[in-house]
Amino acid sequence: MTATDPSADQALTSVEYRMREAGEWLKLEDGVIENLIAPRRVLEVSIPIRRDDGTRVRFTGWRVQHNITRGPGKGGLRYHPSVNRDETVSLAAAMSLKTALMNLPLGGAKGGIAIDPKSLSPRELERVTRRYVSEIFAFLGPDKDVPAPDVGTNAQVMAWVMDQYSIGVGHAVPGVVTGKPLALGGSLGRDSATGRGVVEAASLVCQARGTSLEGKRIVIQGFGNVGMWAAQLAAGWGARIVGISDVGGVIASEKGLDITALVRATQRGVGSVVDAGVGEVIARGVERSTDVFALPSDIAMPCALGGAVDVREAKTLTAKYVIEGANGPLTPAADDILNDRGVIVVPDIYANAGGVTCSYLEQCQNYAHLQWDEDEVNASVVSTMRSVFKRLHAFSQEHELSYRRAASVLGVKALADAHQLRGLHP
Ligand code: GLU
């Protein structure tokens, strides 16, 4: 089978295309790649709830276990109006590649509900979460499938998932979710782990080219959990964060934005970076958020939603390195343009894998009924990022592949090897 070009910016087609391309490169036996691409299970559930005013409303949710050959399904739970079946399948497939590339003993899964969490009260959000969990209950569990936070969800949502599941089995099961609050068996360091991994990836890619993060100009799209930690940690390395954007627009400062003041303003509850009184507001509105990539910079970190960097952004982006903090932030067309322009792209399945790596450490702590100190957790996340980068970099050099292709090949190979060893039932 020949890999055909991915159509436009469809995330599903794009991950499928990457896997097919990797399968061809690996010369996998016929039928193997088809089996790896197809999700193992797709659950679609109806979620009726009562609103606070007594009226009823119904939402739709999904949980996809894409690959569970190497271990339990693992992946986030997303609450966003654009969540749909195909996107969830695609994000679950990316998790299969991510856990395989990172050599974690986990499979790939993803879940989501098509809702705008900001339009619901906390009590309504809790009811949605509990009803969703009861609908997929039979497929969840520490050895089956373990959700974690993603776009629109947080530690509180994980606590509700844990509680609803625990009520069902009759005893507390902290290991059914990761990214939960510390008081329920969460891990120190989980909040910062994805951003820490993104910054480590940026530092390693610089080091591999004989330079460092110090003094580098960085632009970041997204100031949620990933972008905020990436900004703080990169500033700590001596990098200058010259631009940040979110749904409200773009702020910039050639000297470098005051990240401490920005974080403080966010904690005070400002709705957007443009309202924080930090730097200069150079654009307003969600549609201008990608203008941040046109600012003069060395490194770009798209840490918001998928598909944010398309043809226009790829043409105007000034950075030499793009580190994908979000899942699927580059459309395939943008990826091609950046590749042709010689921009080095560090793909999501490696660059943002600090989060799931820390989730795995949380699972280890839950199994052992232990809590590690924060330095130990952070050091373990960083050392995993380093050892996988060494392998990824060496493989890409040896075979003259981009990091994206090298990462897909290594991920698909780990999945194909596991399938081969386990054999086909019956
Ligand atoms: N949602 C995160 C991701 O996309 C974390 C997943 C996890 O920790 O299971 O990688």
Side-chain angles (χ1 to χ4, degrees):
M1 179 141 224
T2 305
T4 46
D5 265 1
S7 71
D9 56 357
Q10 267 200 7
L12 173 66
T13 325
S14 147
V15 180
E16 185 179 324
Y17 174 77
R18 295 289 165 209
M19 292 183 77
R20 230 178 257 297
E21 194 183 52
E24 279 177 17
W25 192 92
L26 287 161
K27 299 192 175 42
L28 293 182
E29 204 183 298
D30 273 357
V32 172
I33 198 68
E34 298 306 325
N35 190 25
L36 293 182
I37 287 169
R40 180 75 177 264
R41 291 185 188 120
V42 181
L43 297 172
E44 178 171 305
V45 295
S46 194
I47 308 163
I49 64 142
R50 216 177 270 287
R51 297 207 71 150
D52 292 344
D53 65 4
T55 57
R56 285 165 184 257
V57 60
R58 193 193 73 84
F59 302 105
T60 307
W62 293 266
R63 184 73 190 171
V64 177
Q65 293 168 358
H66 178 264
N67 193 292
I68 46 175
T69 303
R70 301 175 58 262
K74 189 81 196 80
L77 174 58
R78 178 173 291 209
Y79 290 177
H80 193 272
S82 70
V83 166
N84 59 51
R85 180 203 181 273
D86 287 356
E87 185 195 67
T88 312
V89 170
S90 143
L91 291 165
M95 286 307 301
S96 301
L97 288 178
K98 198 184 292 188
T99 54
L101 171 68
M102 299 306 286
N103 200 21
L104 302 171
L106 302 169
K110 201 81 176 194
I113 306 179
I115 41 166
D116 176 4
K118 290 194 206 88
S119 71
L120 299 181
S121 74
R123 292 279 72 82
E124 289 170 339
L125 207 59
E126 177 174 352
R127 286 199 283 276
V128 166
T129 304
R130 289 186 182 279
R131 183 62 191 249
Y132 170 75
V133 171
S134 61
E135 294 298 336
I136 63 166
F137 178 81
F139 296 91
L140 288 182
D143 297 317
K144 295 185 192 173
D145 185 1
V146 181
D150 198 84
V151 175
T153 60
N154 56 23
Q156 176 58 75
V157 174
M158 294 306 116
W160 292 326
V161 174
M162 182 256 175
D163 184 65
Q164 192 64 28
Y165 181 81
S166 300
I167 288 169
V169 294
H171 57 88
V173 187
V176 70
V177 282
T178 60
K180 55 195 168 280
L182 284 180
L184 292 175
S187 178
L188 290 161
R190 179 62 184 84
D191 260 7
S192 62
T194 310
R196 188 177 304 282
V198 168
V199 173
E200 192 58 37
S203 161
L204 290 164
V205 87
C206 287
Q207 266 175 44
R209 280 150 190 86
T211 171
S212 79
L213 269 190
E214 208 181 329
K216 291 279 182 305
R217 295 163 305 168
I218 299 184
V219 291
I220 301 177
Q221 184 200 26
F223 205 62
N225 185 47
V226 183
M228 191 188 300
W229 276 105
Q232 289 181 87
L233 294 166
W237 280 79
R240 257 188 302 150
I241 317 299
V242 293
I244 296 186
S245 70
D246 66 10
V247 287
V250 185
I251 57 169
S253 162
E254 240 179 87
K255 293 202 308 286
L257 294 160
D258 181 348
I259 303 302
T260 313
L262 201 53
V263 170
R264 233 183 273 129
T266 308
Q267 283 160 352
R268 271 201 321 270
V270 298
S272 160
V273 291
V274 299
D275 302 320
V278 174
E280 188 194 343
V281 178
I282 60 160
R284 283 191 187 270
V286 64
E287 57 294 333
R288 299 285 306 276
S289 140
T290 53
D291 287 9
V292 76
F293 298 119
L295 290 168
S297 71
D298 304 300
I299 300 173
M301 296 179 173
C303 298
L305 283 177
V309 179
D310 204 352
V311 172
R312 181 183 79 93
E313 290 78 17
K315 285 185 177 155
T316 51
L317 182 140
T318 60
K320 289 177 218 55
Y321 308 105
V322 175
I323 320 290
E324 293 189 322
N327 286 311
L330 271 51
T331 65
D335 205 30
D336 287 346
I337 292 170
L338 292 174
N339 218 16
D340 291 347
R341 291 185 45 209
V343 176
I344 291 163
V345 176
V346 185
D348 50 3
I349 60 168
Y350 169 71
N352 70 30
V356 72
T357 300
C358 193
S359 278
Y360 167 65
L361 301 176
E362 184 173 328
Q363 291 179 286
C364 293
Q365 293 169 76
N366 293 157
Y367 273 119
H369 302 283
L370 286 173
Q371 185 157 71
W372 302 349
D373 70 38
E374 190 162 0
D375 290 346
E376 194 177 348
V377 174
N378 292 346
S380 188
V381 169
V382 166
S383 83
T384 305
M385 291 301 294
R386 286 186 186 160
S387 65
V388 176
F389 184 79
K390 215 166 158 189
R391 201 154 46 84
L392 178 63
H393 183 72
F395 194 78
S396 88
Q397 297 282 100
E398 184 185 344
H399 299 289
E400 293 181 11
L401 295 173
S402 67
Y403 286 134
R404 174 154 351 253
R405 288 193 70 187
S408 305
V409 168
L410 289 171
V412 167
K413 176 155 179 14
L415 291 172
D417 288 351
H419 274 260
Q420 173 69 21
L421 285 163
R422 281 186 57 168
L424 202 56
H425 163 82

